[in-house]
Amino acid sequence: MDSQIRAWTMCGQASLVTIHRGVNMVGLRGIRKIESALPVVLNEPLLEELIVYLRLGRVCRERNEVPQSDRFMTIAGACAWMLGIYSVSQFCRQQIIGHNPGHFVARHPHFGSALHDPDFQALLGQLVRKYPPDEAAQLLKKFNQPFSAKRDDFPNDTAFAAAAVGVDSEWLDACFGTE
């Protein structure tokens, strides 16, 4: 998978924009369209944001707050896809459609496809505006659900993300593949 990294100035601050598979990623903190044909979604520190949304999705599901869990898993699934952690992205999709087959993500075989859909872009934008990364991290703290693991404790990003939702990365890869 070829990637290009470009410097981009947004609101007077330099950010990195990565283009994966024709999808622009600009930050959860600044969702806006760069090109009308491509969605603009996510940013550095993307992995940390992914972990927060995965943890929130898990905590809400454990609290039987399934619709709320779906909201966080939608953001996490898009985030994981952007990071190239496809098995985690597909896990998020399956968590959502497993109990809600009519959910928007069920219209697409994966988040990569959904990210090209203007309706999904609008949904994701609404969710991120409602639960920006900083507020999501604060909400996770309110739930008193610490996640003390560090990225360096794991062999790869998939294993780190899998630990955040309490599953084994080998199981994820076996069930959902690596791409």
Side-chain angles (χ1 to χ4, degrees):
M1 176 185 321
D2 291 347
S3 298
Q4 251 183 345
I5 299 186
R6 300 183 197 164
W8 183 267
T9 303
M10 193 166 76
C11 303
Q13 296 179 342
S15 298
L16 291 181
V17 176
T18 307
I19 302 175
H20 280 288
R21 296 182 182 203
V23 177
N24 283 346
M25 298 181 295
V26 174
L28 287 172
R29 291 173 177 84
I31 290 188
R32 55 180 74 158
K33 296 220 180 204
I34 293 175
E35 298 174 22
S36 61
L38 299 175
V40 175
V41 188
L42 310 166
N43 173 46
E44 294 290 333
L46 196 53
L47 185 60
E48 291 80 8
E49 292 170 354
L50 169 63
I51 298 304
V52 168
Y53 289 115
L54 286 171
R55 297 287 301 152
L56 281 170
R58 178 181 180 186
V59 168
C60 288
R61 189 165 299 262
E62 289 171 353
R63 295 168 53 110
N64 207 24
E65 298 171 359
V66 178
Q68 188 69 9
S69 173
D70 288 354
R71 293 178 188 111
F72 295 124
M73 287 302 211
T74 299
I75 299 170
C79 201
W81 185 269
M82 292 293 174
L83 282 166
I85 310 174
Y86 305 114
S87 58
V88 172
S89 180
Q90 287 297 88
F91 171 79
C92 292
R93 181 181 177 277
Q94 187 58 44
Q95 289 289 297
I96 295 165
I97 65 174
H99 66 84
N100 185 359
H103 192 280
F104 197 97
V105 299
R107 298 180 194 173
H108 301 278
H110 50 72
F111 275 94
S113 171
L115 286 166
H116 287 284
D117 182 331
D119 292 334
F120 181 77
Q121 294 171 30
L123 170 67
L124 185 60
Q126 288 172 351
L127 291 173
V128 172
R129 280 189 297 278
K130 188 169 183 172
Y131 306 105
D134 296 338
E135 290 180 26
Q138 291 300 323
L139 182 58
L140 188 59
K141 285 181 185 176
K142 281 185 186 177
F143 285 140
N144 196 24
Q145 294 289 324
F147 183 64
S148 59
K150 302 289 182 228
R151 168 58 187 92
D152 293 340
D153 298 339
F154 298 90
N156 54 45
D157 292 346
T158 302
F160 184 43
V165 288
V167 299
D168 181 69
S169 64
E170 291 178 11
W171 175 83
L172 271 181
D173 288 341
C175 290
F176 301 104
T178 56
E179 205 169 317

